[in-house]
Structures are given as C-alpha cells and as structure tokens.
C-alpha cells in the first residue's frame, strides 16, 4: 500500500465525509473517511482537473433533489 498523506475530511451535514490525499509519486487519492484502504486513485493532474470541473458546476446535476 502506498504512503498517502491525507487531508482532513471534507464533511457535509449528515453526509459521509471524504478525504483527499497525495503520495510522493504524484498520485492523488479520494476515499470515504474511515475507509481509506478502499480508495480511488489517479494522477494529481487528474484530481486538479476534477476539482476545477466541480467548481465550474459540471457536477451540479448530481446534486439535484
């Protein structure tokens, strides 16, 4: 298992908390807090683009009630 430096969890009210981390090889990780062994991984550039796209509203349709 890689050595991942995890950020503090991002939590919403009454929702699961997510953690984002990086390793020394330029990879990024996303996991549910408390289940970091079951992570999704990609490059740090891919994480950067995901964050940009989310900030631009490209995932807003996933939040519709």
């Amino acid at each position: 298992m890689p050595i991942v430096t995890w950020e503090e969890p991002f939590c919403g009210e009454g929702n699961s908390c997510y953690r984002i981390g990086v390793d020394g090889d330029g990879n990024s990780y996303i996991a549910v807090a408390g289940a970091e062994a079951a992570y999704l991984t990609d490059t740090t550039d891919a994480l950067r683009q995901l964050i940009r796209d989310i900030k631009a509203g490209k995932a807003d349709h996933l939040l519709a009630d």
Side-chain angles (χ1 to χ4, degrees):
M1 185 168 183
I3 298 173
V4 179
T5 302
W6 293 102
E7 295 289 321
E8 290 298 315
F10 295 92
C11 302
E13 288 186 36
N15 295 317
S16 297
C17 298
Y18 294 92
R19 296 187 79 179
I20 296 175
V22 295
D23 68 16
D25 293 325
N27 300 306
S28 62
Y29 299 80
I30 300 174
V32 173
E36 287 83 358
Y39 53 79
L40 172 70
T41 187
D42 206 329
T43 64
T44 300
D45 286 338
L47 175 62
R48 187 176 293 115
Q49 188 61 49
L50 174 66
I51 292 169
R52 285 183 185 134
D53 287 347
I54 290 170
K55 289 173 73 174
K58 293 183 179 180
D60 287 356
H61 64 283
L62 298 172
L63 304 175
D65 289 341

